Amino acid sequence: MKKNLALALLLSLSAIANAQEKVNSGSDSKISFGVKAGYSLSNMKFFDEKLDSKSYFYAGIVAEQPISSKFGIQAEVLYTQIGGTQQLPVIDFTDTGVIESGRRLKFNYQLTQIQVPVSAKYYFIPDFSISAGMNVGFNISEKVKTKEVVNGSTSHNYEGIKSVNLFPFLGAEYKINDKFFVDARYNFNFFEINKGDFTTKVGFLQAGVGYRFK
């Protein structure tokens, strides 16, 4: 976990440093820092089977380096959880064979992540921008949880998941004033999150509010 956090912070600082080098010395190029938090809704797929969506929150820090009046580079470090839920019939083994009990068991797939979204922003007007970039998710926990005991426990490690996941995204931001803003983005499921042949993908929406320090 410590290695993931260190790498996440390094990526953010690197993106800001690279942007700083591109700025003309005479321009108004002050880096802004802030915090943000909001709502996350993720959708998980096993092959072509779509699981029920999962709701969670995200929270973290954000930094933006202007390049010009129209362009900027933004980097963030966020804590969140993505995944999905699935309900499967409970099977009973009887003397007459295997039968469905009529009950259903809910499986909650939970990938707790430190995410590092890095994006390029374009300002249509000073208060409204669109962005495109890559969100790098570092898994700090991969769990499958149930309300009932399965194989001796209600929580199991979710095996076969990559420790680092990639999510390209598109987003938009509106500045309410000099300090407060609202934003939303969609992170696409273009890349598999699994290591083996069991194709698993996750896409998710993030929408929230932020505060920039001046």
Side-chain angles (χ1 to χ4, degrees):
M1 178 177 175
K2 291 182 179 179
K3 291 182 179 179
N4 288 342
L5 288 172
L7 184 56
L9 292 172
L10 181 62
L11 285 172
S12 296
L13 294 173
S14 176
I16 295 171
N18 289 337
Q20 178 68 33
E21 293 177 359
K22 298 178 181 179
V23 180
N24 295 328
S25 58
S27 64
D28 183 11
S29 59
K30 208 170 187 181
I31 300 176
S32 64
F33 294 92
V35 293
K36 62 186 298 188
Y39 170 77
S40 175
L41 181 67
S42 56
N43 293 285
M44 196 171 190
K45 291 176 64 177
F46 294 154
F47 295 101
D48 292 327
E49 180 187 356
K50 186 176 179 181
L51 278 61
D52 294 333
S53 58
K54 176 179 178 60
S55 299
Y56 205 68
F57 73 93
Y58 67 88
I61 59 176
V62 56
E64 181 178 352
Q65 170 63 70
I67 297 177
S68 69
S69 61
K70 288 291 187 180
F71 293 96
I73 298 293
Q74 182 164 296
E76 307 164 37
V77 179
L78 306 175
Y79 172 87
T80 191
Q81 190 179 100
I82 60 175
T85 61
Q86 182 183 38
Q87 295 191 43
L88 298 175
V90 176
I91 303 298
D92 287 337
F93 295 91
T94 68
D95 294 337
T96 58
V98 179
I99 62 171
E100 291 189 12
S101 67
R103 296 185 297 115
R104 298 182 70 83
L105 187 60
K106 184 177 180 179
F107 293 84
N108 190 348
Y109 300 91
Q110 301 177 354
L111 305 182
T112 304
Q113 294 189 333
I114 297 296
Q115 296 183 348
V116 183
V118 179
S119 58
K121 300 175 70 175
Y122 175 78
Y123 286 86
F124 284 100
I125 58 175
D127 293 334
F128 178 75
S129 65
I130 60 171
S131 61
M134 183 67 73
N135 190 349
V136 184
F138 299 86
N139 286 323
I140 56 178
S141 175
E142 306 101 8
K143 296 291 184 181
V144 183
K145 295 188 176 181
T146 57
K147 290 185 177 180
E148 299 182 32
V149 175
V150 177
N151 294 331
S153 176
T154 58
S155 179
H156 300 272
N157 291 328
Y158 188 8
E159 305 292 345
I161 298 297
K162 297 175 183 176
S163 59
V164 179
N165 307 132
L166 299 177
F167 308 99
F169 66 84
L170 294 174
E173 177 190 295
Y174 178 73
K175 293 180 180 178
I176 300 173
N177 53 39
D178 288 342
K179 293 182 179 293
F180 290 95
F181 65 91
V182 294
D183 69 351
R185 68 168 60 117
Y186 190 79
N187 298 262
F188 295 96
N189 64 349
F190 294 160
F191 299 101
E192 298 177 5
I193 66 170
N194 60 295
K195 296 177 182 177
D197 297 328
F198 191 78
T199 302
T200 306
K201 294 183 177 182
V202 180
F204 52 99
L205 172 72
Q206 293 174 320
V209 298
Y211 179 86
R212 284 193 171 89
F213 306 105
K214 292 293 184 180

Short mmCIF file of all heavy atoms in Angstrom, two decimals, residues 11-20 31-36 58 61-67 71-78 116-123 129-135 169 171-175 181-185 206 209-212:
data_model
loop_
_atom_site.label_atom_id
_atom_site.label_comp_id
_atom_site.label_asym_id
_atom_site.label_seq_id
_atom_site.Cartn_x
_atom_site.Cartn_y
_atom_site.Cartn_z
N LEU A 11 3.31 10.52 -9.54
CA LEU A 11 2.69 10.79 -10.84
C LEU A 11 2.05 12.17 -10.86
O LEU A 11 2.15 12.90 -11.84
CB LEU A 11 1.64 9.71 -11.15
CG LEU A 11 2.18 8.35 -11.57
CD1 LEU A 11 1.04 7.35 -11.65
CD2 LEU A 11 2.90 8.44 -12.90
N SER A 12 1.38 12.52 -9.80
CA SER A 12 0.73 13.83 -9.73
C SER A 12 1.76 14.96 -9.79
O SER A 12 1.61 15.92 -10.53
CB SER A 12 -0.09 13.95 -8.44
OG SER A 12 -1.13 13.02 -8.45
N LEU A 13 2.80 14.86 -8.99
CA LEU A 13 3.82 15.90 -8.97
C LEU A 13 4.56 16.00 -10.30
O LEU A 13 4.91 17.09 -10.75
CB LEU A 13 4.82 15.61 -7.84
CG LEU A 13 4.26 15.70 -6.42
CD1 LEU A 13 5.29 15.24 -5.40
CD2 LEU A 13 3.81 17.12 -6.11
N SER A 14 4.77 14.85 -10.95
CA SER A 14 5.44 14.84 -12.24
C SER A 14 4.61 15.56 -13.29
O SER A 14 5.14 16.32 -14.11
CB SER A 14 5.71 13.40 -12.68
OG SER A 14 6.28 13.36 -13.97
N ALA A 15 3.29 15.30 -13.31
CA ALA A 15 2.42 15.95 -14.28
C ALA A 15 2.43 17.47 -14.11
O ALA A 15 2.47 18.22 -15.08
CB ALA A 15 0.99 15.42 -14.13
N ILE A 16 2.41 17.93 -12.87
CA ILE A 16 2.42 19.37 -12.60
C ILE A 16 3.77 19.97 -13.00
O ILE A 16 3.84 21.05 -13.59
CB ILE A 16 2.12 19.65 -11.12
CG1 ILE A 16 0.69 19.19 -10.80
CG2 ILE A 16 2.28 21.12 -10.79
CD1 ILE A 16 0.37 19.21 -9.33
N ALA A 17 4.85 19.27 -12.71
CA ALA A 17 6.18 19.78 -13.05
C ALA A 17 6.35 19.90 -14.55
O ALA A 17 6.92 20.87 -15.05
CB ALA A 17 7.25 18.86 -12.46
N ASN A 18 5.86 18.90 -15.30
CA ASN A 18 5.95 18.95 -16.75
C ASN A 18 5.17 20.11 -17.32
O ASN A 18 5.58 20.76 -18.28
CB ASN A 18 5.46 17.63 -17.36
CG ASN A 18 6.41 16.49 -17.10
OD1 ASN A 18 7.60 16.70 -16.87
ND2 ASN A 18 5.89 15.27 -17.13
N ALA A 19 4.00 20.35 -16.75
CA ALA A 19 3.20 21.47 -17.22
C ALA A 19 3.88 22.79 -16.94
O ALA A 19 3.84 23.72 -17.75
CB ALA A 19 1.83 21.44 -16.53
N GLN A 20 4.55 22.91 -15.78
CA GLN A 20 5.22 24.14 -15.41
C GLN A 20 6.31 24.50 -16.41
O GLN A 20 6.51 25.68 -16.74
CB GLN A 20 5.82 23.99 -14.01
CG GLN A 20 6.58 25.20 -13.51
CD GLN A 20 5.67 26.38 -13.25
OE1 GLN A 20 4.52 26.20 -12.87
NE2 GLN A 20 6.18 27.57 -13.48
N ILE A 31 0.00 27.84 -10.01
CA ILE A 31 -0.64 26.55 -9.74
C ILE A 31 -1.70 26.73 -8.66
O ILE A 31 -1.46 27.38 -7.64
CB ILE A 31 0.39 25.51 -9.30
CG1 ILE A 31 1.44 25.28 -10.38
CG2 ILE A 31 -0.28 24.18 -8.97
CD1 ILE A 31 2.54 24.34 -9.98
N SER A 32 -2.87 26.15 -8.87
CA SER A 32 -3.91 26.18 -7.85
C SER A 32 -4.06 24.79 -7.24
O SER A 32 -3.96 23.78 -7.93
CB SER A 32 -5.24 26.63 -8.45
OG SER A 32 -5.71 25.69 -9.42
N PHE A 33 -4.29 24.76 -5.94
CA PHE A 33 -4.48 23.52 -5.21
C PHE A 33 -5.86 23.53 -4.55
O PHE A 33 -6.39 24.60 -4.24
CB PHE A 33 -3.40 23.33 -4.14
CG PHE A 33 -2.03 23.15 -4.69
CD1 PHE A 33 -1.20 24.25 -4.88
CD2 PHE A 33 -1.56 21.89 -5.02
CE1 PHE A 33 0.08 24.08 -5.39
CE2 PHE A 33 -0.28 21.72 -5.53
CZ PHE A 33 0.54 22.82 -5.72
N GLY A 34 -6.41 22.34 -4.34
CA GLY A 34 -7.71 22.27 -3.72
C GLY A 34 -8.06 20.88 -3.26
O GLY A 34 -7.24 19.95 -3.30
N VAL A 35 -9.29 20.74 -2.81
CA VAL A 35 -9.83 19.46 -2.39
C VAL A 35 -11.15 19.22 -3.14
O VAL A 35 -11.80 20.17 -3.58
CB VAL A 35 -10.06 19.40 -0.86
CG1 VAL A 35 -8.74 19.46 -0.13
CG2 VAL A 35 -10.98 20.55 -0.42
N LYS A 36 -11.52 17.96 -3.26
CA LYS A 36 -12.77 17.64 -3.93
C LYS A 36 -13.34 16.35 -3.36
O LYS A 36 -12.62 15.52 -2.79
CB LYS A 36 -12.57 17.51 -5.45
CG LYS A 36 -11.63 16.40 -5.87
CD LYS A 36 -11.36 16.41 -7.37
CE LYS A 36 -12.60 16.18 -8.19
NZ LYS A 36 -12.31 16.01 -9.63
N TYR A 58 -16.04 9.43 -3.41
CA TYR A 58 -14.61 9.65 -3.62
C TYR A 58 -14.22 10.95 -2.93
O TYR A 58 -15.05 11.85 -2.73
CB TYR A 58 -14.25 9.70 -5.11
CG TYR A 58 -14.80 10.89 -5.86
CD1 TYR A 58 -14.10 12.10 -5.91
CD2 TYR A 58 -16.02 10.82 -6.51
CE1 TYR A 58 -14.61 13.20 -6.58
CE2 TYR A 58 -16.53 11.90 -7.19
CZ TYR A 58 -15.82 13.08 -7.23
OH TYR A 58 -16.33 14.17 -7.90
N ILE A 61 -7.39 15.28 -3.30
CA ILE A 61 -6.79 16.58 -3.55
C ILE A 61 -6.63 16.78 -5.06
O ILE A 61 -6.59 15.82 -5.83
CB ILE A 61 -5.42 16.72 -2.85
CG1 ILE A 61 -4.47 15.61 -3.32
CG2 ILE A 61 -5.59 16.67 -1.35
CD1 ILE A 61 -3.06 15.73 -2.75
N VAL A 62 -6.54 18.06 -5.46
CA VAL A 62 -6.45 18.40 -6.88
C VAL A 62 -5.48 19.56 -7.05
O VAL A 62 -5.40 20.45 -6.18
CB VAL A 62 -7.85 18.75 -7.45
CG1 VAL A 62 -8.49 19.87 -6.66
CG2 VAL A 62 -7.77 19.11 -8.93
N ALA A 63 -4.74 19.55 -8.15
CA ALA A 63 -3.84 20.66 -8.48
C ALA A 63 -3.96 20.93 -9.98
O ALA A 63 -4.05 20.00 -10.79
CB ALA A 63 -2.40 20.32 -8.13
N GLU A 64 -3.98 22.22 -10.35
CA GLU A 64 -4.09 22.60 -11.76
C GLU A 64 -3.00 23.60 -12.11
O GLU A 64 -2.77 24.56 -11.38
CB GLU A 64 -5.46 23.19 -12.07
CG GLU A 64 -5.60 23.56 -13.55
CD GLU A 64 -6.98 24.10 -13.90
OE1 GLU A 64 -7.87 24.05 -13.02
OE2 GLU A 64 -7.16 24.58 -15.03
N GLN A 65 -2.37 23.35 -13.26
CA GLN A 65 -1.35 24.27 -13.78
C GLN A 65 -1.85 24.86 -15.10
O GLN A 65 -2.00 24.15 -16.09
CB GLN A 65 -0.05 23.50 -14.03
CG GLN A 65 0.98 24.30 -14.81
CD GLN A 65 1.45 25.53 -14.07
OE1 GLN A 65 2.14 25.42 -13.07
NE2 GLN A 65 1.07 26.70 -14.54
N PRO A 66 -2.16 26.16 -15.13
CA PRO A 66 -2.55 26.78 -16.40
C PRO A 66 -1.37 26.80 -17.38
O PRO A 66 -0.22 27.01 -16.99
CB PRO A 66 -2.94 28.21 -15.99
CG PRO A 66 -3.15 28.16 -14.53
CD PRO A 66 -2.23 27.10 -14.00
N ILE A 67 -1.66 26.58 -18.64
CA ILE A 67 -0.67 26.71 -19.71
C ILE A 67 -0.92 28.00 -20.49
O ILE A 67 -0.01 28.67 -20.92
CB ILE A 67 -0.70 25.48 -20.64
CG1 ILE A 67 -0.30 24.24 -19.85
CG2 ILE A 67 0.22 25.67 -21.82
CD1 ILE A 67 -0.37 22.97 -20.64
N PHE A 71 -5.95 26.62 -21.97
CA PHE A 71 -5.51 25.26 -21.68
C PHE A 71 -4.89 25.15 -20.29
O PHE A 71 -4.30 26.10 -19.78
CB PHE A 71 -4.50 24.77 -22.72
CG PHE A 71 -5.07 24.59 -24.09
CD1 PHE A 71 -4.95 25.60 -25.04
CD2 PHE A 71 -5.72 23.42 -24.43
CE1 PHE A 71 -5.48 25.44 -26.31
CE2 PHE A 71 -6.25 23.25 -25.70
CZ PHE A 71 -6.12 24.26 -26.64
N GLY A 72 -5.04 23.96 -19.70
CA GLY A 72 -4.44 23.67 -18.41
C GLY A 72 -4.19 22.18 -18.24
O GLY A 72 -4.74 21.36 -18.99
N ILE A 73 -3.35 21.84 -17.29
CA ILE A 73 -3.08 20.44 -16.92
C ILE A 73 -3.52 20.25 -15.48
O ILE A 73 -3.20 21.06 -14.60
CB ILE A 73 -1.58 20.09 -17.04
CG1 ILE A 73 -1.10 20.24 -18.48
CG2 ILE A 73 -1.32 18.67 -16.55
CD1 ILE A 73 -1.71 19.24 -19.45
N GLN A 74 -4.27 19.19 -15.24
CA GLN A 74 -4.77 18.93 -13.89
C GLN A 74 -4.36 17.53 -13.44
O GLN A 74 -4.41 16.57 -14.22
CB GLN A 74 -6.29 19.06 -13.84
CG GLN A 74 -6.90 18.85 -12.47
CD GLN A 74 -8.32 19.36 -12.37
OE1 GLN A 74 -8.59 20.55 -12.50
NE2 GLN A 74 -9.26 18.45 -12.16
N ALA A 75 -3.96 17.41 -12.17
CA ALA A 75 -3.62 16.12 -11.57
C ALA A 75 -4.32 16.01 -10.22
O ALA A 75 -4.48 17.01 -9.52
CB ALA A 75 -2.11 15.98 -11.40
N GLU A 76 -4.73 14.79 -9.88
CA GLU A 76 -5.48 14.56 -8.65
C GLU A 76 -5.00 13.28 -7.96
O GLU A 76 -4.40 12.41 -8.61
CB GLU A 76 -6.98 14.43 -8.95
CG GLU A 76 -7.57 15.57 -9.75
CD GLU A 76 -8.92 15.23 -10.35
OE1 GLU A 76 -9.70 14.53 -9.69
OE2 GLU A 76 -9.18 15.66 -11.48
N VAL A 77 -5.26 13.18 -6.69
CA VAL A 77 -5.08 11.93 -5.94
C VAL A 77 -6.38 11.70 -5.17
O VAL A 77 -6.75 12.52 -4.32
CB VAL A 77 -3.89 11.99 -4.98
CG1 VAL A 77 -3.78 10.67 -4.20
CG2 VAL A 77 -2.59 12.26 -5.73
N LEU A 78 -7.07 10.60 -5.48
CA LEU A 78 -8.40 10.35 -4.91
C LEU A 78 -8.44 8.99 -4.22
O LEU A 78 -7.79 8.03 -4.65
CB LEU A 78 -9.47 10.36 -6.02
CG LEU A 78 -9.55 11.59 -6.92
CD1 LEU A 78 -10.59 11.36 -8.01
CD2 LEU A 78 -9.88 12.84 -6.11
N VAL A 116 -5.23 8.18 -9.52
CA VAL A 116 -4.47 9.37 -9.94
C VAL A 116 -4.94 9.77 -11.34
O VAL A 116 -4.39 9.32 -12.34
CB VAL A 116 -2.95 9.10 -9.93
CG1 VAL A 116 -2.18 10.36 -10.29
CG2 VAL A 116 -2.51 8.59 -8.57
N PRO A 117 -5.98 10.60 -11.43
CA PRO A 117 -6.40 11.10 -12.74
C PRO A 117 -5.52 12.28 -13.17
O PRO A 117 -5.30 13.23 -12.41
CB PRO A 117 -7.85 11.57 -12.50
CG PRO A 117 -8.20 11.11 -11.11
CD PRO A 117 -6.91 10.98 -10.37
N VAL A 118 -5.01 12.21 -14.40
CA VAL A 118 -4.24 13.31 -14.99
C VAL A 118 -4.92 13.69 -16.30
O VAL A 118 -5.17 12.82 -17.14
CB VAL A 118 -2.78 12.91 -15.23
CG1 VAL A 118 -2.00 14.05 -15.87
CG2 VAL A 118 -2.11 12.49 -13.92
N SER A 119 -5.22 14.98 -16.48
CA SER A 119 -6.02 15.38 -17.64
C SER A 119 -5.53 16.69 -18.24
O SER A 119 -4.90 17.52 -17.57
CB SER A 119 -7.50 15.52 -17.25
OG SER A 119 -7.65 16.46 -16.20
N ALA A 120 -5.85 16.87 -19.53
CA ALA A 120 -5.68 18.14 -20.21
C ALA A 120 -7.05 18.82 -20.27
O ALA A 120 -8.06 18.17 -20.57
CB ALA A 120 -5.15 17.91 -21.62
N LYS A 121 -7.09 20.12 -19.97
CA LYS A 121 -8.35 20.85 -19.90
C LYS A 121 -8.39 21.95 -20.96
O LYS A 121 -7.38 22.61 -21.23
CB LYS A 121 -8.53 21.48 -18.52
CG LYS A 121 -8.55 20.46 -17.39
CD LYS A 121 -8.60 21.12 -16.03
CE LYS A 121 -9.94 21.79 -15.76
NZ LYS A 121 -10.01 22.32 -14.38
N TYR A 122 -9.56 22.13 -21.53
CA TYR A 122 -9.78 23.22 -22.48
C TYR A 122 -10.93 24.07 -21.98
O TYR A 122 -12.01 23.56 -21.69
CB TYR A 122 -10.11 22.68 -23.88
CG TYR A 122 -10.46 23.77 -24.86
CD1 TYR A 122 -9.45 24.54 -25.44
CD2 TYR A 122 -11.78 24.04 -25.19
CE1 TYR A 122 -9.77 25.55 -26.34
CE2 TYR A 122 -12.11 25.05 -26.07
CZ TYR A 122 -11.09 25.81 -26.65
OH TYR A 122 -11.41 26.81 -27.53
N TYR A 123 -10.71 25.39 -21.88
CA TYR A 123 -11.72 26.32 -21.38
C TYR A 123 -12.46 26.97 -22.54
O TYR A 123 -11.88 27.75 -23.30
CB TYR A 123 -11.06 27.39 -20.51
CG TYR A 123 -10.65 26.90 -19.15
CD1 TYR A 123 -9.41 26.30 -18.96
CD2 TYR A 123 -11.50 27.03 -18.06
CE1 TYR A 123 -9.03 25.83 -17.71
CE2 TYR A 123 -11.13 26.57 -16.80
CZ TYR A 123 -9.90 25.97 -16.63
OH TYR A 123 -9.54 25.51 -15.39
N SER A 129 -15.02 24.32 -18.55
CA SER A 129 -13.98 23.59 -19.28
C SER A 129 -14.38 22.14 -19.49
O SER A 129 -15.21 21.59 -18.75
CB SER A 129 -12.65 23.64 -18.52
OG SER A 129 -12.78 22.97 -17.27
N ILE A 130 -13.78 21.53 -20.50
CA ILE A 130 -13.89 20.09 -20.70
C ILE A 130 -12.50 19.49 -20.54
O ILE A 130 -11.49 20.19 -20.69
CB ILE A 130 -14.48 19.73 -22.08
CG1 ILE A 130 -13.59 20.27 -23.21
CG2 ILE A 130 -15.90 20.23 -22.21
CD1 ILE A 130 -13.98 19.77 -24.58
N SER A 131 -12.45 18.21 -20.22
CA SER A 131 -11.16 17.57 -19.98
C SER A 131 -11.13 16.16 -20.55
O SER A 131 -12.17 15.51 -20.71
CB SER A 131 -10.86 17.53 -18.47
OG SER A 131 -11.85 16.78 -17.79
N ALA A 132 -9.93 15.70 -20.83
CA ALA A 132 -9.70 14.32 -21.27
C ALA A 132 -8.39 13.85 -20.68
O ALA A 132 -7.42 14.62 -20.61
CB ALA A 132 -9.67 14.23 -22.80
N GLY A 133 -8.37 12.60 -20.26
CA GLY A 133 -7.13 12.12 -19.66
C GLY A 133 -7.18 10.66 -19.29
O GLY A 133 -8.03 9.90 -19.78
N MET A 134 -6.27 10.26 -18.43
CA MET A 134 -6.14 8.88 -17.98
C MET A 134 -6.19 8.84 -16.46
O MET A 134 -5.51 9.61 -15.79
CB MET A 134 -4.83 8.28 -18.48
CG MET A 134 -4.65 6.81 -18.10
SD MET A 134 -5.83 5.72 -18.94
CE MET A 134 -5.15 5.73 -20.61
N ASN A 135 -7.01 7.93 -15.94
CA ASN A 135 -7.11 7.70 -14.51
C ASN A 135 -6.38 6.40 -14.19
O ASN A 135 -6.76 5.33 -14.68
CB ASN A 135 -8.58 7.63 -14.09
CG ASN A 135 -8.77 7.63 -12.59
OD1 ASN A 135 -7.82 7.49 -11.84
ND2 ASN A 135 -10.01 7.79 -12.15
N PHE A 169 -10.76 8.81 -19.55
CA PHE A 169 -11.98 9.51 -19.14
C PHE A 169 -12.17 10.81 -19.90
O PHE A 169 -11.23 11.40 -20.45
CB PHE A 169 -11.98 9.78 -17.63
CG PHE A 169 -10.93 10.76 -17.16
CD1 PHE A 169 -11.14 12.13 -17.21
CD2 PHE A 169 -9.71 10.30 -16.65
CE1 PHE A 169 -10.18 13.02 -16.77
CE2 PHE A 169 -8.75 11.18 -16.20
CZ PHE A 169 -8.98 12.55 -16.27
N GLY A 171 -14.48 14.55 -19.19
CA GLY A 171 -15.19 15.23 -18.12
C GLY A 171 -15.45 16.68 -18.42
O GLY A 171 -15.06 17.21 -19.47
N ALA A 172 -16.12 17.34 -17.50
CA ALA A 172 -16.43 18.76 -17.62
C ALA A 172 -16.43 19.38 -16.23
O ALA A 172 -16.70 18.70 -15.23
CB ALA A 172 -17.78 18.97 -18.29
N GLU A 173 -16.12 20.68 -16.18
CA GLU A 173 -16.07 21.40 -14.90
C GLU A 173 -16.68 22.78 -15.06
O GLU A 173 -16.49 23.45 -16.10
CB GLU A 173 -14.62 21.53 -14.43
CG GLU A 173 -14.46 22.31 -13.13
CD GLU A 173 -13.02 22.62 -12.82
OE1 GLU A 173 -12.26 21.65 -12.57
OE2 GLU A 173 -12.64 23.81 -12.84
N TYR A 174 -17.39 23.22 -14.04
CA TYR A 174 -17.95 24.58 -14.02
C TYR A 174 -17.54 25.25 -12.72
O TYR A 174 -17.75 24.71 -11.63
CB TYR A 174 -19.47 24.56 -14.13
CG TYR A 174 -20.08 25.94 -14.08
CD1 TYR A 174 -19.97 26.81 -15.16
CD2 TYR A 174 -20.73 26.38 -12.93
CE1 TYR A 174 -20.51 28.09 -15.11
CE2 TYR A 174 -21.26 27.66 -12.87
CZ TYR A 174 -21.15 28.50 -13.96
OH TYR A 174 -21.68 29.77 -13.90
N LYS A 175 -16.95 26.43 -12.83
CA LYS A 175 -16.53 27.20 -11.65
C LYS A 175 -17.70 28.06 -11.18
O LYS A 175 -18.16 28.96 -11.90
CB LYS A 175 -15.34 28.08 -11.99
CG LYS A 175 -14.07 27.30 -12.32
CD LYS A 175 -12.91 28.24 -12.65
CE LYS A 175 -11.64 27.47 -12.97
NZ LYS A 175 -10.52 28.38 -13.33
N PHE A 181 -16.22 24.83 -7.23
CA PHE A 181 -16.51 24.32 -8.57
C PHE A 181 -17.26 23.00 -8.46
O PHE A 181 -17.24 22.33 -7.42
CB PHE A 181 -15.22 24.12 -9.38
CG PHE A 181 -14.29 23.07 -8.83
CD1 PHE A 181 -14.37 21.74 -9.26
CD2 PHE A 181 -13.32 23.40 -7.90
CE1 PHE A 181 -13.52 20.77 -8.76
CE2 PHE A 181 -12.46 22.43 -7.38
CZ PHE A 181 -12.55 21.12 -7.82
N VAL A 182 -17.94 22.64 -9.53
CA VAL A 182 -18.58 21.34 -9.66
C VAL A 182 -18.00 20.67 -10.90
O VAL A 182 -17.66 21.34 -11.87
CB VAL A 182 -20.13 21.45 -9.76
CG1 VAL A 182 -20.72 21.96 -8.47
CG2 VAL A 182 -20.54 22.35 -10.92
N ASP A 183 -17.90 19.36 -10.86
CA ASP A 183 -17.38 18.65 -12.03
C ASP A 183 -17.97 17.26 -12.13
O ASP A 183 -18.56 16.74 -11.17
CB ASP A 183 -15.84 18.60 -12.02
CG ASP A 183 -15.29 17.71 -10.92
OD1 ASP A 183 -16.06 17.25 -10.05
OD2 ASP A 183 -14.07 17.46 -10.91
N ALA A 184 -17.82 16.67 -13.30
CA ALA A 184 -18.29 15.30 -13.55
C ALA A 184 -17.42 14.70 -14.63
O ALA A 184 -16.94 15.40 -15.53
CB ALA A 184 -19.76 15.29 -13.98
N ARG A 185 -17.21 13.40 -14.54
CA ARG A 185 -16.45 12.71 -15.58
C ARG A 185 -16.92 11.26 -15.67
O ARG A 185 -17.44 10.70 -14.71
CB ARG A 185 -14.95 12.75 -15.29
CG ARG A 185 -14.49 11.95 -14.09
CD ARG A 185 -12.97 11.82 -14.08
NE ARG A 185 -12.32 13.10 -14.01
CZ ARG A 185 -11.55 13.51 -13.00
NH1 ARG A 185 -11.38 12.72 -11.95
NH2 ARG A 185 -10.98 14.68 -13.01
N GLN A 206 -18.18 9.74 -12.01
CA GLN A 206 -17.83 10.49 -10.81
C GLN A 206 -18.38 11.91 -10.95
O GLN A 206 -18.14 12.57 -11.97
CB GLN A 206 -16.32 10.54 -10.59
CG GLN A 206 -15.71 9.19 -10.25
CD GLN A 206 -14.20 9.24 -10.18
OE1 GLN A 206 -13.55 9.88 -11.00
NE2 GLN A 206 -13.62 8.54 -9.21
N VAL A 209 -18.19 18.06 -5.99
CA VAL A 209 -17.88 19.46 -5.78
C VAL A 209 -16.44 19.59 -5.29
O VAL A 209 -15.87 18.63 -4.76
CB VAL A 209 -18.85 20.11 -4.77
CG1 VAL A 209 -20.27 20.07 -5.29
CG2 VAL A 209 -18.75 19.42 -3.41
N GLY A 210 -15.89 20.79 -5.45
CA GLY A 210 -14.52 21.02 -5.01
C GLY A 210 -14.32 22.42 -4.50
O GLY A 210 -15.16 23.32 -4.72
N TYR A 211 -13.18 22.61 -3.83
CA TYR A 211 -12.83 23.91 -3.27
C TYR A 211 -11.36 24.16 -3.56
O TYR A 211 -10.50 23.32 -3.22
CB TYR A 211 -13.06 23.92 -1.76
CG TYR A 211 -12.70 25.22 -1.09
CD1 TYR A 211 -13.62 26.27 -1.01
CD2 TYR A 211 -11.44 25.41 -0.54
CE1 TYR A 211 -13.28 27.47 -0.38
CE2 TYR A 211 -11.09 26.59 0.09
CZ TYR A 211 -12.01 27.61 0.15
OH TYR A 211 -11.68 28.81 0.77
N ARG A 212 -11.05 25.28 -4.22
CA ARG A 212 -9.67 25.65 -4.53
C ARG A 212 -9.18 26.72 -3.56
O ARG A 212 -9.86 27.71 -3.32
CB ARG A 212 -9.55 26.15 -5.97
CG ARG A 212 -9.59 25.02 -7.00
CD ARG A 212 -9.15 25.51 -8.36
NE ARG A 212 -8.98 24.40 -9.30
CZ ARG A 212 -9.95 23.93 -10.07
NH1 ARG A 212 -11.15 24.48 -10.03
NH2 ARG A 212 -9.73 22.91 -10.87
#
